[in-house]
Each structure stands twice: as C-alpha cells, then as structure tokens.
Amino acid sequence: MRITKFTHSCLRVEGAGVLVVDPGAFSERTALDGADAVLITHEHIDHLDPDALAEAIDKQPGLRLYAHADVLGRHPRFAAVATAVEPGGAFEAAGYRIRAYGGRHAVIHPDIPGIANVGYLIADGSTNLYHPGDSFTVPEDTTVDTLFAPLNAPWMKLSESIDFVRAVRPGRAYALHDFLLTETGAKISDGHLERLSGTKYAHVAPGTTIT
C-alpha cells in the first residue's frame, strides 16, 4: 500500500487498486488520475469538489463513488456510479476492505446545523490506514496502523487532536486537514503533537508518498 498525501485532506492509496479519499477544492485534481474508486467523508467543498469528480468520471467511466446517503442526495448527477455508505458498514472498493465509522461531523458551532460525516478504515492484506474526515471518531474495534489526524479546522482545537491520537494509539500518525495553517502555525502544532501524542508523528508536504 502506497499513500500519497495531497493538499489539505486528500489521500491517494495505491496497491490493490487506486483509491482516493476526499478530493476537495483545496487538493490537486491530479489525485484523481486513473482512480478506481473515491471515498467522500462529507459534503463540505474542501472534501468534495463536484466538478473535479465529474471530470474524473468522464475520463474513467468505471470509477465508483462511495459516500453517505446525505452527500449523494445533494449530488444526483453521480447516482449512476454511487453507493451509499452508513456508519458501521463494510464494503470492498478498488481491491481494499473498508469499514465506515462515526456518522456526524464535529460541531463547528451550535447555531450551525450538523451534517453527516463518515470516517474510513482502509485495509489490504497486511496493513491499514484510517481517515476520520472532520471528526475525532475512534475506531475502537480495531488496531490502526497509520492514522491521519486533523491538524487545524474551525471545528477543533489542538488538544482534541492530541487526545484523538492517544485514543487511537496507531503505529504512526500523519497530519491531515492542514491547509488553513500558516507554515509558522503548523510548526507550533506539530511540535505539540510530536511531544504529546504518544506515537511517531510527521507532517508531510503535499505530494509525499508513504509506504
């Protein structure tokens, strides 16, 4: 399994097939090149760029899309390639075994209506990774090898990210959801995570591939 981190919250997983998670408006469209399947955690534009996804489907007619029913209901043009995902469900996509967790986006403010959010545990025969979307949902029924932990967002504070990594106890952790931070701000957050998370942690540049 090779994982390429694209800008913000987008991951491209290659091995059994090509699987892309959360190709949003902040991430590079090249993340979708040749994709067999796409997983969407929730409807926000930084996690789902509908035009980029439509372009990818035109280029790759066999591409499959997996997302919560609420997300798919907002984008009926993808109905022909889409499969609804519910928290607790398991399925296969692009040659990977996937389990869905959570159900709700973290609270931004009580006055902002809540939306659905699904985290994904993606596994092949020997290892796995977990992408929580915009949540700190812990997949308590499994061991996580590689965790991508949100670093900065309007809905979180850094202490929550630290506690999230501690709760998951992965083999290693990498920064996710990091586009809104300045370089200086990221260094401060990274320093705290490196010292306090309790696991091996790194913040990698967009385009970095992890094996």
Side-chain angles (χ1 to χ4, degrees), residues 81-202:
V81 301
T83 299
V85 174
E86 291 293 332
F91 58 97
E92 291 191 6
Y96 302 96
R97 301 187 309 277
I98 301 167
R99 292 198 64 179
Y101 291 86
R104 303 303 296 172
H105 190 287
V107 174
I108 301 172
H109 188 277
D111 290 349
I112 298 176
I115 61 170
N117 179 91
V118 179
Y120 295 105
L121 182 80
I122 302 163
D124 65 9
S126 59
T127 189
N128 65 45
L129 71 94
Y130 182 58
H131 187 309
D134 281 9
S135 80
F136 289 124
T137 299
V138 176
E140 295 179 343
D141 59 350
T142 191
T143 298
V144 174
D145 297 320
T146 301
L147 172 68
F148 283 84
L151 189 64
N152 175 264
W155 47 268
M156 63 162 283
K157 56 186 178 181
L158 184 62
S159 63
E160 294 174 304
S161 187
I162 293 168
D163 289 344
F164 174 59
V165 179
R166 287 178 172 181
V168 176
R169 294 185 296 177
R172 58 183 180 174
Y174 294 94
L176 191 74
H177 213 284
D178 54 353
F179 185 66
L180 300 181
L181 271 175
T182 65
E183 183 177 353
T184 300
K187 287 179 180 178
I188 294 171
S189 297
D190 289 337
H192 289 308
L193 272 161
E194 288 169 359
R195 290 185 296 105
L196 301 173
S197 68
T199 193
K200 182 180 179 180
Y201 165 82

Side-chain angles (χ1 to χ4, degrees), residues 38-90:
V38 173
L39 308 181
I40 301 297
T41 62
H42 65 284
E43 65 191 48
H44 287 159
I45 194 67
D46 56 328
H47 296 257
L48 169 57
D49 182 341
D51 292 338
L53 182 56
E55 181 181 283
I57 293 169
D58 286 342
K59 292 179 180 178
Q60 184 89 344
L63 184 152
R64 298 295 303 176
L65 170 65
Y66 299 84
H68 191 277
D70 289 0
V71 176
L72 300 181
R74 294 175 62 88
H75 299 282
R77 62 172 161 162
F78 301 132
V81 301
T83 299
V85 174
E86 291 293 332

